[in-house]
């Protein structure tokens, strides 16, 4: 398994943030999400320091769907990032962290009226309108509350990014955004611009997630700049902002060539500056929205091995005390991961195994046919790069208790999200005889 951040081999035992995972398992139990805070901070800083230009302002918006807790919100504020939300639940969690709500930008293809009201009550930074129907709804809610709100419009720019179908978002029939190829597109923008309750900031796009094809991002920049120019000329308005979304690919296995944050951010800035020059255009601000590339490699999941099994069909299973309830990605879109037997790092890795969870589903497999060290009951198995879309997509299937999330740094650890208790599982379960 590729080591990231502060991971080291300390006498055969994996150490993260200066603490042996054996100690973390002892103290917090398993399964356990371990977040390497130093690596998260380094990634945030890399974005902040390299996505910077002296021709326009820049904002890095952390995509909170990747992982959200009060601790991550505090880091967002510390490193002067902004943060997005897609639901009332995410808005509420960010608000509960106590950070400034001006940093928050609300997405979603089907925001409810209650969620829109929350955006106004919390005085968030902006709402990213997804479609034409939403314009009037947001405007009416503003009118009711006698408030104005800054808005962007999510647009669909038709870039074909090579990633899994479920995480491609900018194809012509995507459920997200309004297509720039629609002949009514200028009319839709005009509607926003002419609405006195809305302050139109500009266009937003997000071409997909886990993208390695840097050309797709460059193409996206060109289309966004051209479209901004075209519409501002057509409607005779000034459009101050562009948001280019996230989706920068990270390493999960040897098949992935991760995007280098520092290098790629500098190249994006260069490409934006050149495209602006080419179009003879200026812009006030450009934003990006990385999620996975800030938190992905910084998170790991630690499991206890319950046993092994060699099937008649020849598959050797290692059974762990979690599974698809804490990591749905392999079952959902065939995502692949690397792992280690974290308490036996010095042993030879020559067993081809499949790591299976404990859910009542044959598809509950976290890793298929990869080499691992010999695992025995009681060992600790650690799956790397689970920081993004791990905890945030976790479920209570089979009444699994969601694991704890612990942040580690410089030999210290702190719980960020507590493990769910058995009582938590029945907290909302009421029985009334009818
Ligand atoms: N922005 C938007 C609108 C998204 O939908 C997503 C992810 O789906 C992101 C940003 C973050 O993507 P990633 O975590 O791949 O950087």
């Amino acid at each position: 398994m590729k080591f990231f951040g502060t991971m080291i081999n300390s006498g055969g035992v994996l150490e993260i943030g200066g603490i042996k995972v054996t100690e973390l398992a002892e103290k917090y139990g398993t399964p356990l999400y371990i977040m390497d805070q130093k690596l998260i901070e380094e990634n945030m800083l890399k974005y902040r320091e390299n996505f910077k230009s002296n021709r326009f302002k820049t904002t890095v918006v952390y995509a909170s769907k990747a992982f959200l807790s009060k601790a991550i919100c505090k880091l967002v504020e510390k490193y002067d990032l902004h943060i997005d939300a897609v639901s009332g639940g995410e808005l509420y969690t960010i608000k509960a962290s106590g950070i400034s709500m001006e940093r928050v930008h609300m997405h979603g293809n089907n925001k409810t009226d209650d969620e829109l009201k929350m955006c106004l009550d919390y005085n968030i930074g902006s709402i990213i309108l997804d479609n034409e129907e939403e314009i009037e709804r947001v405007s009416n809610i503003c009118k009711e509350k006698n408030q104005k709100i800054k808005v962007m419009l999510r647009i669909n720019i038709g870039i074909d990014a090579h990633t899994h179908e479920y995480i491609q978002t900018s194809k012509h029939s995507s459920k997200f955004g309004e297509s720039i190829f629609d002949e009514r597109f200028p009319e839709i923008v005009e509607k926003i611009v002419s609405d006195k309750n809305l302050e139109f900031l500009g266009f937003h796009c997000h071409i997909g997630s886990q993208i390695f094809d840097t050309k797709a991002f460059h193409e996206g920049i060109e289309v966004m700049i051209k479209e901004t120019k075209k519409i501002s000329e057509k409607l005779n308005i000034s459009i101050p902002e562009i948001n280019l979304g996230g989706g920068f690919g990270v390493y999960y296995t040897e098949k992935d060539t991760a995007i280098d944050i520092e290098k790629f951010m500098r190249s994006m800035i260069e490409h934006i500056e050149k495209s602006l020059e080419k179009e003879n255009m200026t812009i006030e601000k450009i934003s990006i929205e990385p999620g996975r590339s800030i938190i992905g490699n910084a998170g790991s999941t630690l499991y206890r091995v319950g046993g092994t099994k060699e099937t008649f069909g020849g598959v050797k299973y290692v059974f762990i005390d979690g599974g698809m309830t804490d990591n749905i990605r392999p079952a959902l879109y065939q995502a692949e991961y690397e792992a280690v037997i974290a308490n036996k790092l010095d042993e030879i890795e020559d067993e081809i195994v499949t790591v299976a969870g404990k859910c009542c589903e044959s598809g509950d497999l976290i890793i298929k046919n990869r080499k691992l060290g010999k695992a025995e009951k009681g060992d600790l198995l650690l799956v790397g790069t689970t920081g993004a879309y791990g905890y945030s997509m976790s479920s209570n299937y089979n009444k699994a208790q969601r694991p704890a999330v612990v942040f580690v740094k410089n030999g210290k650890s702190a719980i960020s999200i507590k493990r769910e208790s058995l009582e938590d599982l029945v907290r909302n379960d009421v029985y009334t005889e009818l």
Side-chain angles (χ1 to χ4, degrees):
M1 187 185 85
K2 189 173 160 94
F3 282 12
F4 288 98
T6 61
M7 284 181 177
I8 54 164
N9 178 343
S10 173
V13 176
L14 182 65
E15 192 178 290
I16 310 176
I19 311 178
K20 287 195 168 97
V21 295
T22 42
E23 268 175 53
L24 292 170
E26 192 68 32
K27 186 164 178 187
Y28 300 105
T30 56
L32 179 70
Y33 295 98
I34 304 167
M35 296 291 189
D36 181 346
Q37 185 169 325
K38 188 158 177 271
L39 182 54
I40 300 171
E41 293 182 58
E42 279 169 13
N43 288 339
M44 288 182 167
L45 207 58
K46 277 184 189 172
Y47 272 111
R48 228 23 243 123
E49 291 303 306
N50 294 284
F51 191 70
K52 214 156 79 173
S53 164
N54 45 28
R55 307 216 191 145
F56 46 85
K57 287 187 223 147
T58 53
T59 306
V60 178
V61 184
Y62 170 67
S64 80
K65 69 211 72 167
F67 171 74
L68 181 59
S69 72
K70 291 176 187 169
I72 201 82
C73 293
K74 292 292 189 196
L75 294 178
V76 158
E77 189 158 70
K78 180 173 173 192
Y79 289 94
D80 197 21
L81 268 58
H82 283 211
I83 186 163
D84 80 357
V86 194
S87 69
E90 288 180 353
L91 280 175
Y92 185 83
T93 307
I94 299 168
K95 174 87 173 152
S97 77
I99 69 167
S100 151
M101 294 306 278
E102 246 176 72
R103 295 180 185 274
V104 183
H105 307 281
M106 180 70 171
H107 277 287
N109 65 301
N110 184 24
K111 304 169 192 82
T112 64
D113 286 356
D114 282 346
E115 286 170 332
L116 291 172
K117 284 176 191 159
M118 252 174 125
C119 292
L120 291 165
D121 289 342
Y122 288 176
N123 274 315
I124 69 163
S126 72
I127 293 176
I128 294 92
L129 299 170
D130 183 83
N131 53 64
E132 188 177 3
E133 182 269 346
E134 218 172 53
I135 303 170
E136 209 178 311
R137 265 193 325 120
V138 176
S139 175
N140 286 341
I141 291 170
C142 283
K143 202 154 49 180
E144 251 171 55
K145 292 187 167 283
N146 198 19
Q147 266 176 275
K148 239 184 129 155
I149 185 99
K150 292 183 176 138
V151 296
M152 296 193 89
L153 175 65
R154 180 162 179 171
I155 60 175
N156 203 320
I157 56 174
I159 297 276
D160 184 15
H162 298 285
T163 187
H164 192 282
E165 191 189 347
Y166 290 6
I167 44 182
Q168 267 180 356
T169 53
S170 207
K171 298 211 301 194
H172 295 312
S173 294
S174 165
K175 73 168 185 167
F176 300 109
E178 288 289 358
S179 171
I180 56 169
F181 302 101
D182 187 330
E183 57 182 31
R184 291 195 50 256
F185 180 63
E187 213 180 292
I188 298 171
V189 182
E190 170 93 76
K191 248 192 196 177
I192 305 172
V193 174
S194 60
D195 195 305
K196 358 182 239 324
N197 300 310
L198 311 175
E199 181 184 339
F200 182 58
L201 297 179
F203 298 119
H204 170 283
C205 76
H206 172 74
I207 59 173
S209 211
Q210 186 59 353
I211 296 169
F212 300 111
D213 177 12
T214 51
K215 278 206 301 267
F217 290 110
H218 284 170
E219 264 174 63
I221 290 170
E222 288 162 29
V223 178
M224 288 295 279
I225 287 177
K226 275 194 189 137
E227 199 58 34
T228 300
K229 183 178 181 186
K230 195 167 117 192
I231 296 291
S232 65
E233 284 177 356
K234 192 172 172 78
L235 303 183
N236 194 24
I237 51 168
S238 75
I239 300 181
E241 286 190 35
I242 290 176
N243 186 325
L244 297 166
F248 312 108
V250 308
Y251 180 100
Y252 283 90
T253 71
E254 67 287 343
K255 292 180 188 162
D256 306 322
T257 315
I259 284 185
D260 178 311
I261 301 175
E262 285 167 296
K263 260 202 224 150
F264 192 58
M265 286 307 111
R266 286 199 296 268
S267 109
M268 267 183 89
I269 290 287
E270 230 173 79
H271 205 79
I272 296 168
E273 289 175 349
K274 273 195 196 141
S275 303
L276 287 170
E277 246 168 60
K278 197 168 153 206
E279 298 298 328
N280 193 20
M281 233 182 103
T282 55
I283 193 102
E284 268 175 45
K285 184 161 139 187
I286 305 240
S287 309
I288 47 166
E289 270 172 359
R292 188 191 311 269
S293 49
I294 286 179
I295 196 90
N297 295 144
S300 317
T301 317
L302 187 65
Y303 302 97
R304 185 75 70 182
V305 173
T308 59
K309 169 180 172 179
E310 208 154 344
T311 64
F312 179 64
V315 175
K316 180 154 193 181
Y317 284 108
V318 174
F319 294 147
I320 52 170
D321 56 355
M324 65 192 294
T325 43
D326 56 74
N327 188 355
I328 190 67
R329 296 185 70 257
L332 188 63
Y333 29 68
Q334 301 86 50
E336 293 183 32
Y337 287 88
E338 292 181 347
V340 282
I341 306 301
N343 56 319
K344 290 180 178 169
L345 290 183
D346 293 338
E347 290 196 7
I348 306 162
E349 295 187 327
D350 60 356
E351 304 238 313
I352 306 258
V353 300
T354 288
V355 177
K358 68 200 296 299
C359 295
C360 201
E361 280 288 325
S362 303
D364 178 23
L365 308 172
I366 298 297
I367 290 175
K368 270 194 214 167
N369 300 325
R370 282 193 80 90
K371 265 192 183 165
L372 262 188
K374 189 173 167 48
E376 288 163 314
K377 182 172 169 53
D379 281 338
L380 290 169
L381 185 142
L382 181 126
V383 178
T385 310
T386 59
Y389 307 103
Y391 190 86
S392 59
M393 288 180 129
S394 63
S395 77
N396 290 124
Y397 176 54
N398 285 163
K399 290 284 181 208
Q401 295 152 253
R402 281 193 181 77
V405 182
V406 67
F407 276 50
V408 292
K409 186 182 171 185
N410 295 336
K412 290 198 282 193
S413 65
I415 279 280
S416 172
I417 305 179
K418 288 183 196 166
R419 182 178 304 285
E420 280 179 344
S421 65
L422 290 172
E423 300 82 76
D424 288 333
L425 295 177
V426 291
R427 198 184 329 125
N428 298 324
D429 185 332
V430 283
Y431 172 67
T432 312
E433 193 179 342
L434 296 174

